Amino acid sequence: MEYEAVIGLETHVQLKTKSKMWCGCANAFGSPPNTNVCPVCLGMPGVLPVANEEALRLTVLTGYLLNCEIPRFAKFDRKNYFYPDSAKNYQLTQYDKPSTANGSVDFEFQDGTARVRITRAHLEEDVGKNSHFDRMSGVDFNRAGVPLLEIVSEPDITSADMAYEYLNALKEILQQGGVSDCDMEKGMVRCDVNISVRPKGTKELGAKIEIKNMNSFSGVRRAAEYEIARQIGVVSKGGKLIQSTRRWDDVAGITEEMRTKEDAHDYRYFPEPDLMPFEPTDAWLAEVKSRVVELPLVRKQRFMRDYQLPAGDAEVFKANVELGNYFEQIAKQAKNPKAVANWVINNLQAKMAEQQEKARVEVEASFGSETPLSPSDGERVAKPGEGLASLKFKPEQLLELVSLVEAKTISNSAAQQVFAEMFETGKAPAAIVQEKGLAQVSDTGAIEKICDEVIAANPGPAADFKAGKVAALNFLKGQVMKLSKGKANPGVAGEILERKLKG
């Protein structure tokens, strides 16, 4: 019997706020343990939570980005459980009345577009972080109370690879939408993976097995691959699976059972008595909706359609929004947007990467080779695309450079020299061409004389071409370019050489 996998994901994302969900403590990574804490986030008796409005905005913004419905009534509940990283012994979360519901994420998968439905994206608070040492354990509550968004998918995912691509698409949407930095090294994204298997073609779901607290997308893919194979192995041999929670051992590459799964009623949810229900107004929702950005996949498809770019180029501009915006302001004026894209991707992006690496080395050198950079020090190094505003040349000058190449005023090799000078000095391309004498020679009389000299000086390659060795022409053309110091029009030179050698 053939079996198929059914996968749903619960993705937990820390929101990009300056303070925590219920208090004024900093939402900051890397601080010394238990320094960003107060009586509210430590759950002391008598304290009252006050909702972070920016977290509410970001939750609804996520709803818009994920094509969700935005209910006009939402509330918070207490999810009761005991665990050392939860000082209150309950978690404030949205249970039966979340802020968003019924959405979807579209993404590229297997040469097409896949869609995963979103059940809900609800707002809650993060918990502390447990650390285990040789003889003791400790809890750092700096993370406790940080606003956390739980994005719950429908069980629409059918493979480990599909789960991986969905997570990457979701991350890209949240980053570009300004909802979260989604820095997995800082624990900003974590994922619970719900997997079941069933005979192919049937509708009834099998026993749901949950893999908890995955902290990398590649780990999700590996864990799902293992767990799907494990479950199929059990049921194909007549075994029975029961609903349970497992952990992923990344070193061993296996999942291990932690406990049988609790049901929702085991948490004894009840409405949070210290927080009013959330009932957004039309004006408030309109303000949030104004922050919606173009979705990454929509952007890629538009670049391919409007500027006739290949998928690879459009993918670069989808991933790097700033670079794509820079390209677009030039491409709107260009006769050949693809030529502009080539210069932006192959030349400008490379130069900026060099500049970024140089800045990183300088920052590291200022702290000493053996001193690791702190998060705040690392942020002194610009991210890709962020240095575009500080470019010394204007966008229209890049368009001018493209025009000079297309008009055959300068050769491609000369254009590389011009661009390097533009990047360093900000001078106009035409001025650089004039100063350095880089204008391409297209005068047939002058090029004919050079071709005659080259043929006379290279009788062997000339004879080879006459004997049918076409590659010999490229050598001779190279000699023409060398003798003309790169100024000869290579197309004209090739035509003249071929005509002369064929008699």
Side-chain angles (χ1 to χ4, degrees):
M1 183 181 294
E2 192 174 356
Y3 291 88
E4 64 182 4
V6 180
I7 304 172
L9 298 179
E10 300 169 12
T11 310
H12 301 81
V13 181
Q14 288 185 358
L15 298 181
K16 194 173 182 178
T17 59
K18 292 181 179 179
S19 58
K20 292 187 181 181
M21 187 64 223
W22 315 115
C23 64
C25 291
N27 176 9
F29 177 83
S31 302
N34 295 310
T35 53
N36 297 333
V37 295
C38 72
V40 175
C41 50
L42 289 177
M44 297 296 185
V47 297
L48 291 174
V50 177
N52 184 327
E53 187 175 3
E54 179 61 10
L56 294 169
R57 289 193 192 97
L58 292 175
T59 301
V60 173
L61 175 60
T62 302
Y64 284 129
L65 292 169
L66 302 185
N67 307 300
C68 291
E69 299 168 7
I70 310 298
R72 290 306 187 95
F73 180 93
K75 68 180 179 67
F76 288 96
D77 301 271
R78 291 187 180 184
K79 180 182 179 181
N80 293 272
Y81 65 93
F82 173 77
Y83 206 66
D85 57 12
S86 179
K88 297 192 290 283
N89 292 334
Y90 62 83
Q91 181 188 34
L92 283 178
T93 183
Q94 292 180 324
Y95 175 48
D96 59 331
K97 298 292 182 181
S99 287
T100 76
N102 304 323
S104 62
V105 174
D106 293 336
F107 56 99
E108 292 177 307
F109 183 62
Q110 293 182 341
D111 300 323
T113 302
R115 170 170 291 179
V116 170
R117 291 170 296 158
I118 301 297
T119 309
R120 55 196 277 158
H122 65 263
L123 183 57
E124 57 189 24
E125 60 179 335
D126 211 339
V127 295
K129 182 180 180 181
N130 294 319
S131 296
H132 304 290
F133 309 100
D134 290 341
R135 301 176 63 87
M136 59 175 286
S137 294
V139 185
D140 178 7
F141 286 107
N142 281 346
R143 196 173 69 184
V146 166
L148 195 68
L149 198 61
E150 181 172 346
I151 301 169
V152 182
S153 83
E154 289 288 319
D156 293 342
I157 300 169
T158 57
S159 69
D161 287 337
M162 187 175 179
Y164 180 78
E165 295 301 335
Y166 159 78
L167 287 170
N168 278 301
L170 181 62
K171 176 184 175 182
E172 201 166 42
I173 290 170
L174 297 176
Q175 285 179 322
Q176 295 186 15
V179 172
S180 173
D181 288 332
C182 293
D183 191 330
M184 302 195 77
E185 292 183 0
K186 297 179 181 179
M188 293 180 180
V189 182
R190 303 186 294 281
C191 190
D192 298 337
V193 188
N194 299 304
I195 301 175
S196 65
V197 296
R198 65 187 178 190
K200 197 163 188 177
T202 62
K203 297 296 182 183
E204 186 178 350
L205 295 174
K208 183 177 70 175
I209 312 296
E210 182 177 29
I211 309 172
K212 292 289 285 185
N213 293 326
M214 302 297 302
N215 56 16
S216 76
F217 295 167
S218 60
V220 168
R221 180 161 59 182
R222 290 181 62 214
E225 286 172 348
Y226 172 86
E227 185 60 23
I228 291 168
R230 186 192 73 83
Q231 291 186 31
I232 291 175
V234 170
V235 296
S236 62
K237 293 176 182 178
K240 185 177 181 181
L241 295 166
I242 61 171
Q243 186 171 329
S244 61
T245 300
R246 301 176 73 88
R247 64 176 291 272
W248 169 247
D249 186 327
D250 198 56
V251 177
I254 61 173
T255 62
E256 299 172 319
E257 186 166 286
M258 297 168 63
R259 59 184 180 272
T260 55
K261 178 62 179 172
E262 307 93 341
D263 288 315
H265 61 75
D266 292 328
Y267 291 117
R268 295 181 293 114
Y269 284 96
F270 64 85
E272 166 56 52
D274 295 328
L275 287 168
M276 294 289 289
F278 175 53
E279 300 177 276
T281 64
D282 289 341
W284 191 90
L285 289 172
E287 186 272 326
V288 173
K289 198 167 188 178
S290 69
R291 296 167 62 172
V292 172
V293 300
E294 186 178 31
L295 293 176
L297 180 58
V298 173
R299 178 182 177 85
K300 179 177 179 178
Q301 293 169 339
R302 181 174 64 80
F303 273 53
M304 293 173 68
R305 180 184 66 250
D306 292 356
Y307 302 112
Q308 293 79 53
L309 296 184
D313 289 1
E315 179 67 30
V316 172
F317 295 138
K318 181 194 83 164
N320 190 328
V321 176
E322 292 83 3
L323 198 68
N325 291 343
Y326 183 85
F327 158 77
E328 190 162 26
Q329 67 175 315
I330 303 172
K332 287 177 179 177
Q333 310 168 55
K335 294 179 180 178
N336 185 357
K338 170 58 180 166
V340 175
N342 290 342
W343 281 97
V344 171
I345 294 171
N346 300 328
N347 296 79
L348 179 59
Q349 188 173 226
K351 278 289 186 184
M352 295 193 65
E354 288 177 18
Q355 195 176 61
Q356 182 187 9
E357 177 61 18
K358 182 179 178 181
R360 184 191 65 78
V361 171
E362 289 175 352
V363 170
E364 286 184 346
S366 69
F367 282 85
S369 59
E370 297 181 358
T371 304
L373 293 180
S374 69
S376 58
D377 296 328
E379 288 170 2
R380 288 168 55 184
V381 180
K383 296 177 182 177
E386 287 185 349
L388 288 166
S390 61
L391 286 176
K392 295 179 180 178
F393 63 88
K394 298 177 181 178
E396 53 266 28
Q397 290 177 322
L398 187 58
L399 185 60
E400 181 186 343
L401 176 63
V402 172
S403 299
L404 288 172
V405 175
E406 292 189 331
K408 302 190 185 311
T409 303
I410 57 175
S411 65
N412 284 320
S413 60
Q416 299 292 334
Q417 298 179 53
V418 174
F419 181 81
E421 182 75 10
M422 282 170 55
F423 190 86
E424 293 298 326
T425 66
K427 290 182 181 178
I432 297 170
V433 171
Q434 181 68 27
E435 287 175 12
K436 295 186 175 291
L438 296 173
Q440 188 165 257
V441 176
S442 295
D443 176 56
T444 55
I447 296 176
E448 280 207 33
K449 290 180 182 178
I450 298 173
C451 288
D452 288 336
E453 292 179 36
V454 167
I455 292 170
N458 297 277
D464 288 341
F465 177 76
K466 290 177 181 179
K469 294 182 179 179
V470 180
L473 186 68
N474 291 329
F475 171 79
L476 295 171
K477 192 191 299 184
Q479 294 304 302
V480 172
M481 298 306 295
K482 184 177 180 181
L483 200 60
S484 68
K485 297 181 180 179
K487 294 182 180 180
N489 185 317
V492 174
E495 291 172 5
I496 292 173
L497 283 169
E498 191 170 357
R499 173 168 52 81
K500 286 181 173 291
L501 290 170
K502 285 184 176 179

